[in-house]
Amino acid sequence: MTDTSAPQLTSAAIPTLADIEAARATIAGVARVTPMESSQYLAELLGSPVHLKCENLQRTGAYKIRGAYNRLSTLSPEQRAKGVVAASAGNHAQGVALAAHELGIPATIFTPVGVALPKLQATRHYGAEVVLRGHSVEEALSAAKDFAHRTGAVFIPPFDHPAVIAGQGTLGLEILDQVPDADTVVVPIGGGGVIAGIALAVKGIAEQQGRSIRVIGVQAANAAAYPTSLEAGEPVTVATTPTIADGIAVARPGDMNFPIIRDLVDDIVTVSEDDVARALLVLLERAKLVVEAAGAVGVAAIMAGSVRDTGKTVVLLSGGNIDPLMMERIITRGLVAASRYIGIRIMLPDRPGQLARVAQVISDAGANVVEVLHTRHGQGLVINEVALDLSIEARGPDHAQEVLGRLQEAGFRPEMLER
């Protein structure tokens, strides 16, 4: 990747800065200009100002309405009459559904059978016909393309189209409107539509101003197609594993997005599942913002030390559509990752008063027991021995170690449990 400040691409298919400006006029009144919030907590970690572009507060809860509406607005009357079709497990589905509703276009959305209920209900609420098909986005995508072939409906891709890229690029214009002296923009990457659009916008404006601006992409380590593809010099399909950042779990870069990102994005980093869970927890506690896991990867990269101090930084929070049940699991994982929720096992002699002794030591250490499993059976226990498994709330790594130390001083042999 090159550290260039302006687009060097010549393909007529690649959106220009003028295309992105035109897209902003097109989506005005449909997509909101979302807030830009500062974060003192992240600024202290990074060593320079950090701002959060809150696209989690966008209509439909994510940036996807920008690209979807811009693409649908280019359709001819004949195309609109035949309707549109898309495949998605979440944000793209809602963006297309709302855009189609606003423009009076029939929309059919194919989603996997296991789609989260809130996303399914929201997509239907916007007036789209939702078809549950298959158990993966790939199966739903195949069904959507077959539907387009059979009916003449226009297939709306989630990221690999000039009008979609231009629509997402309006975020870049807003970022520099709100933070004109931004030095770095950190953006989540799935297929690459939003970072391609943002890079085209901010690099183009920076060139006009005679300055440089860095764009850094972030992928979930379990679904990171771009590092491999950039090394290969072309889009490559990679094997992915499940990730809580399902909104950016894309196995292959977009063909149109790839060259833009190759030429304009300065760095791409990856974050772990625990990194993302900690970030989501920090956004809830420190910023009072509900953000989905995919939308929190930029914050995760800062917290993990993967983004260095490069001046004033803007982080895109790309979406906030998170299932409450998933949020509960991620919060728990974030607490575990931050050593604020720990599990320990203690082997005890099977006689009265042992549980009370353990509880008193933990209480004296200022921690709280939230769950107890006390058993005489299994786990390789000998006669007259019991296993005590405890789930404990602590204040962080230092406090967790203090609790373990207190138990050891009292003559117990606590072992940390994997969670």
Side-chain angles (χ1 to χ4, degrees), residues 278 335-342 394-404 416:
R278 281 191 291 263
L335 290 170
V336 171
S339 295
R340 291 170 54 187
Y341 189 80
I342 62 173
R395 295 189 296 272
D398 293 341
H399 188 218
Q401 289 302 314
E402 179 186 346
V403 173
L404 293 175
M416 291 288 289

Side-chain angles (χ1 to χ4, degrees), residues 100-118:
H101 174 76
E102 293 286 329
L103 292 166
I105 301 172
T108 303
I109 309 294
F110 286 81
T111 70
V113 172
V115 64
L117 182 60

Side-chain angles (χ1 to χ4, degrees), residues 16 22 56 60 82 89 118 123 127 130-131 146 181 251 275 291 314 334 338 341 408 412 415:
T16 65
N56 57 310
T60 76
K82 291 182 179 180
T123 304
V130 178
V131 180
D146 179 65
D181 55 346
D275 292 336
V291 181
V314 175
Y341 189 80
Q408 290 166 350
F412 301 109
E415 299 177 7

Side-chain angles (χ1 to χ4, degrees), residues 41-321:
Y41 175 79
L42 293 175
E44 291 173 358
L45 287 180
L46 190 60
S48 57
V50 176
H51 298 269
L52 305 174
K53 178 58 172 170
C54 299
E55 202 67 1
N56 57 310
L57 303 179
Q58 183 56 263
R59 294 183 70 183
T60 76
Y63 69 90
K64 290 287 190 176
I65 181 61
R66 297 172 180 268
Y69 190 88
N70 194 52
R71 170 66 181 114
L72 267 62
S73 69
T74 67
L75 299 181
S76 68
E78 294 77 13
Q79 289 174 317
R80 296 187 185 203
K82 291 182 179 180
V84 297
V85 61
S88 169
N91 293 339
H92 181 57
Q94 294 176 68
V96 172
L98 178 58
H101 174 76
E102 293 286 329
L103 292 166
I105 301 172
T108 303
I109 309 294
F110 286 81
T111 70
V113 172
V115 64
L117 182 60
K119 294 180 179 180
L120 175 64
Q121 292 175 329
T123 304
R124 284 177 171 160
H125 174 75
Y126 295 130
E129 179 182 352
V130 178
V131 180
L132 302 178
R133 187 66 54 82
H135 296 279
S136 67
V137 174
E138 286 72 23
E139 290 178 275
L141 181 63
S142 176
K145 289 182 175 179
D146 179 65
F147 179 88
H149 179 72
R150 289 186 290 104
T151 66
V154 178
F155 176 72
I156 307 298
F159 46 78
D160 212 9
H161 191 280
V164 173
I165 295 171
Q168 320 302 28
T170 60
L171 267 167
L173 304 181
E174 286 183 22
I175 286 170
L176 292 187
D177 284 347
Q178 294 169 317
V179 187
D181 55 346
D183 298 294
T184 303
V185 182
V186 183
V187 185
I189 305 182
V194 68
I195 194 170
I198 287 175
L200 286 165
V202 300
K203 296 277 187 173
I205 292 172
E207 180 195 30
Q208 293 176 351
Q209 297 173 343
R211 70 184 187 95
S212 63
I213 186 167
R214 287 175 55 83
V215 178
I216 298 174
V218 186
Q219 291 207 284
N222 287 4
Y226 270 92
T228 302
S229 297
L230 289 168
E231 184 176 352
E234 62 182 1
V236 172
T237 300
V238 301
T240 64
T241 53
T243 172
I244 56 178
D246 58 343
I248 55 172
V250 178
R252 186 181 189 277
D255 290 325
M256 183 170 294
N257 309 131
F258 178 79
I260 302 172
I261 292 168
R262 178 196 62 208
D263 292 354
L264 299 185
V265 173
D266 299 279
D267 195 11
I268 293 176
V269 301
T270 62
V271 290
S272 71
E273 300 296 283
D274 284 347
D275 292 336
V276 178
R278 281 191 291 263
L280 190 145
L281 189 61
V282 162
L283 285 165
L284 279 171
E285 291 187 324
R286 299 298 185 113
K288 316 307 177 190
L289 291 169
V290 175
V291 181
E292 63 189 271
V297 296
V299 171
I302 289 178
M303 293 178 61
S306 299
V307 175
R308 68 179 186 273
D309 181 359
T310 53
K312 189 169 292 187
T313 298
V314 175
V315 182
L316 173 64
L317 306 181
S318 57
N321 291 318

